[in-house]
């Protein structure tokens, strides 16, 4: 389970980092969630691999449940923010400008959709 979380967290991290950042506050939260969940899952994996789980008196089933529950809530919030940023694709970057430059270019739009999913 931890390996799949690391894999998908890394993919989200790469996809969001490769897009332009038209709304830094929203996509900053997405990056924070992806990086934090990735780092914590690495820590949990190391705890189990090196046998520290046997030395620490914690209910690991409950800890695992709480970690994945919190990760779900944070990833769902990050999904909503990333999808909200993606939905602004057709709006112009500057409303008073004579050029019609979009907030997200077509390539960035496709990457942002992949990051949302």
């Amino acid at each position: 389970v931890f390996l799949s979380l690391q894999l998908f967290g890394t993919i989200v991290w790469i996809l969001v980092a490769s897009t332009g950042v038209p709304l830094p506050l929203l996509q900053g939260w997405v990056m924070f969630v992806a990086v934090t969940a990735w780092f914590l899952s690495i820590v949990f994996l190391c705890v189990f691999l090196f046998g520290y789980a046997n030395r620490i008196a914690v209910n690991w089933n409950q800890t695992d449940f709480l970690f994945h529950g919190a990760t779900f809530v944070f990833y769902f919030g990050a999904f909503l923010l990333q999808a909200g940023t993606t939905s602004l694709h057709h709006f112009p970057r500057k409303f008073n400008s004579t050029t019609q430059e979009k907030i997200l270019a077509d390539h960035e739009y496709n990457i942002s959709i992949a990051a949302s999913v």
Side-chain angles (χ1 to χ4, degrees):
V1 176
F2 289 118
L3 292 177
S4 64
L5 187 62
Q6 291 167 1
L7 175 68
F8 289 118
T10 303
I11 290 171
V12 169
W13 188 3
I14 291 168
L15 288 171
V16 173
S18 66
T19 63
V21 182
L23 303 169
L25 183 62
L26 299 182
Q27 288 179 307
W29 177 253
V30 174
M31 285 298 292
F32 171 76
V33 169
V35 171
T36 303
W38 183 82
F39 177 74
L40 288 176
S41 65
I42 291 285
V43 169
F44 273 125
L45 182 64
C46 289
V47 164
F48 287 111
L49 281 178
F50 296 124
Y52 293 124
N54 298 329
R55 298 179 192 168
I56 301 172
V58 172
N59 184 349
W60 288 106
N61 290 330
Q62 185 179 15
T63 304
D64 185 50
F65 179 77
L66 290 174
F67 172 73
H68 283 92
T71 303
F72 169 76
V73 169
F74 285 127
Y75 262 121
F76 188 73
F79 156 72
L80 292 176
L81 293 175
Q82 185 67 31
T85 301
T86 305
S87 70
L88 300 176
H89 166 65
H90 297 293
F91 287 104
R93 188 175 292 267
K94 298 176 184 173
F95 287 107
N96 295 332
S97 176
T98 57
T99 62
Q100 293 298 320
E101 182 183 359
K102 297 178 185 175
I103 288 179
L104 294 173
D106 291 333
H107 178 68
E108 291 173 335
Y109 175 68
N110 293 335
I111 292 173
S112 189
I113 288 174
S116 296
V117 171

